[in-house]
């Protein structure tokens, strides 16, 4: 069977999971789903063909995503992976989290013959985060702009407490005290859905990935008002603000500032880059404020907004470092978008 797009995530590679570290080695079938408002995420073990065959000493956990509007395509993908084993799993349970656990329950049960076991979204998010942090080497990393290397991987180990900032369509911020104890301490409606929605209105990008690709090639200084634009080419040294710092997102886009031929020089890539900075800076500042309020020196960023893009991570890292004066560390995850699915498994 062929699909209109390759579903596997290049930035979220499979991970080796020894048998003793399997979240639930006896689960059949060996898959779990996290179905959100924008994306549906699937995790499954490779050697089992999703059938639960436990014949291997170590197995690979694979990560696949589809846009939620293509749920029928995801169902076909699962059927293809199951192959001849589909008859063996009829009537068994599959763990599903996210809003789609309710919305797509009947579709999953009727087309796959599996009973949907709905799991709490926040519980799964924390379980997945703690498992990956605690058991998978080089899962978490920090960015060091201008450093050599510019990425510092962290050893496996889950240090509590930490602030988990999950950037999906919106943003949830959770203080994680232990494997069993956490609380949602804040959030914002300005998240990945905001970036995608405004980007769709302001550019010709056809999807989230295309919008991110545009942003990678953009120059936001054509639409953003920088500190140096206000101070005649330099920074505001008394306040520690370099000239390249954004003073006003989209500030140059006002009709009084951009008109005639100059307006034609503002392209979709520049708009996407400015929008990416706007959302990322806002999330970074809010994350720092919550970390400071709830005494967390480490912030873990999850969700599908970042997608391994260094421009986004650099912006968030800069915001955290600037506001905390280097006292709070921003950490990112290789499998950031699959925390809920891993936790459901």
């Amino acid at each position: 069977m062929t699909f209109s797009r390759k579903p596997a995530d290049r930035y979220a590679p499979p991970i080796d999971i020894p048998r003793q570290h399997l979240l639930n080695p006896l689960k059949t079938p060996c898959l779990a789903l996290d179905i959100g408002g924008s994306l549906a995420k699937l995790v499954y073990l490779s050697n089992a063909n999703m059938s639960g065959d436990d014949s291997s000493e170590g197995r690979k956990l694979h990560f696949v995503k589809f846009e939620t509007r293509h749920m029928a395509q995801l169902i076909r993908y699962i059927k293809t992976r199951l192959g001849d084993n589909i008859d063996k799993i009829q009537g068994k349970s599959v763990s599903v989290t996210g809003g789609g656990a309710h919305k797509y329950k009947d579709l999953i049960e009727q087309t796959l013959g599996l009973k949907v076991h709905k799991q709490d979204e926040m519980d799964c998010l924390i379980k997945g985060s703690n498992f990956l942090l605690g058991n998978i080497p080089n899962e978490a990393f920090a960015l060091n702009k201008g450093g050599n290397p510019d990425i510092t991987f962290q050893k496996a180990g889950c240090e509590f407490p930490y602030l988990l900032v999950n950037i999906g369509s919106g943003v949830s911020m959770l203080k994680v005290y232990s494997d069993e104890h956490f609380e949602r301490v804040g959030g914002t409606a300005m998240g990945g859905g905001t970036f995608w929605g405004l980007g769709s209105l302001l550019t010709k990008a056809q999807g989230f990935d295309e919008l991110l690709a545009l942003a990678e090639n953009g120059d936001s200084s054509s639409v953003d008002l920088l500190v140096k634009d206000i101070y005649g080419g330099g920074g505001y040294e008394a306040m520690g603000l370099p000239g390249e710092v954004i003073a006003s997102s989209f500030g140059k886009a006002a009709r009084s500032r951009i008109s005639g031929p100059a307006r034609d020089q503002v392209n979709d890539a520049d708009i996407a880059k400015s929008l990416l900075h706007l959302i990322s800076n806002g999330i970074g500042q809010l994350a720092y404020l919550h970390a400071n309020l709830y005494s967390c020196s480490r912030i873990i960023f999850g969700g599908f907004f970042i997608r391994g893009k260094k421009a986004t991570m650099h912006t968030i890292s800069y915001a955290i470092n600037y506001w905390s004066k280097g006292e709070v560390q921003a950490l990112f995850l290789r499998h950031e978008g699959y925390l809920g699915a891993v936790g459901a498994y």
Side-chain angles (χ1 to χ4, degrees):
M1 178 174 290
T2 60
F3 298 94
S4 61
R5 60 183 58 79
K6 186 177 179 180
D9 269 330
R10 289 178 295 175
Y11 90 94
I15 55 178
D16 294 310
I17 302 185
R19 179 185 294 177
Q20 65 269 27
H21 287 155
L22 289 176
L23 278 72
N24 190 346
L26 299 180
K27 178 184 285 292
T28 304
C30 293
L31 72 147
L33 289 162
D34 175 10
I35 308 174
S38 303
L39 294 170
K41 288 79 70 177
L42 164 71
V43 299
Y44 69 91
L45 289 176
S46 58
N47 81 307
N49 291 323
M50 299 186 184
S51 68
D53 177 16
D54 193 35
S55 59
S56 176
E57 286 299 322
R59 300 192 279 182
K60 286 185 180 295
L61 195 63
H62 293 260
F63 305 86
V64 178
K65 68 172 173 63
F66 286 84
E67 289 185 25
T68 304
R69 62 193 178 100
H70 295 307
M71 272 299 295
Q73 200 174 65
L74 174 55
I75 296 295
R76 292 199 300 271
Y77 178 82
I78 294 174
K79 281 186 172 181
T80 301
R81 296 299 305 178
L82 285 168
D84 295 336
N85 292 297
I86 193 166
D87 292 333
K88 300 178 182 178
I89 64 169
Q90 296 301 293
K92 296 187 180 296
S93 295
V94 58
S95 293
V96 185
T97 189
H102 304 270
K103 186 174 182 178
Y104 295 101
K105 175 180 178 292
D106 291 342
L107 175 66
I108 294 170
E109 292 185 340
Q110 291 169 10
T111 55
L112 294 177
L114 297 169
K115 294 179 180 178
V116 169
H117 175 51
K118 292 177 283 191
Q119 298 209 37
D120 181 78
E121 187 172 356
M122 293 301 172
D123 284 343
C124 290
L125 194 65
I126 300 305
K127 287 177 183 177
S129 176
N130 287 346
F131 174 79
L132 291 172
L133 288 171
N135 296 285
I136 308 301
N138 299 328
E139 174 63 32
F141 60 91
L143 254 67
N144 313 299
K145 190 173 184 179
N148 186 20
D150 62 348
I151 292 179
T152 304
F153 285 102
Q154 310 292 301
K155 294 180 180 179
C158 204
E159 298 178 20
F160 301 108
Y162 67 86
L163 185 73
L164 176 62
V165 178
N166 193 59
I167 313 172
S169 298
V171 181
S172 286
M173 301 185 187
L174 304 102
K175 181 174 181 179
V176 184
Y177 298 91
S178 67
D179 283 328
E180 305 295 335
H181 183 203
F182 69 90
E183 64 174 325
R184 188 180 188 276
V185 294
T188 174
M190 183 181 66
T194 312
F195 176 67
W196 193 352
L198 284 176
S200 298
L201 293 173
L202 296 172
T203 75
K204 296 180 177 64
Q206 296 300 307
F208 194 96
D209 290 322
E210 187 175 330
L211 190 59
L212 279 178
L214 271 178
E216 283 190 295
N217 298 312
D219 178 8
S220 67
S221 64
S222 66
V223 290
D224 288 342
L225 187 66
L226 308 182
V227 170
K228 68 180 182 181
D229 297 320
I230 300 173
Y231 287 90
Y236 187 2
E237 296 181 1
M239 292 290 102
L241 294 172
E244 298 299 324
V245 168
I246 298 171
S248 175
S249 294
F250 289 96
K252 284 182 184 173
R255 291 186 182 277
S256 60
R257 296 183 181 274
I258 298 180
S259 61
R263 190 164 188 86
D264 295 333
Q265 296 174 13
V266 178
N267 56 42
D268 280 1
D270 298 342
I271 292 172
K273 188 61 166 284
S274 178
L275 183 58
L276 181 66
H277 282 162
L278 171 65
I279 302 298
S280 300
N281 275 320
I283 292 172
Q285 185 173 9
L286 282 172
Y288 159 69
L289 291 172
H290 282 78
N292 184 56
L293 183 61
Y294 291 95
S295 303
C296 295
S297 61
R298 297 164 71 243
I299 305 176
I300 309 293
F301 288 90
F304 249 110
F305 174 66
I306 297 171
R307 303 200 187 192
K309 301 297 183 182
K310 284 191 176 181
T312 310
M313 292 186 284
H314 280 311
T315 303
I316 291 175
S317 294
Y318 180 87
I320 299 297
N321 187 65
Y322 176 83
W323 291 109
S324 74
K325 296 180 172 58
E327 294 183 1
V328 177
Q329 185 180 32
L331 293 173
F332 305 94
L333 302 173
R334 289 190 302 157
H335 301 89
E336 62 192 8
Y338 293 93
L339 303 185
V342 172
Y345 184 82

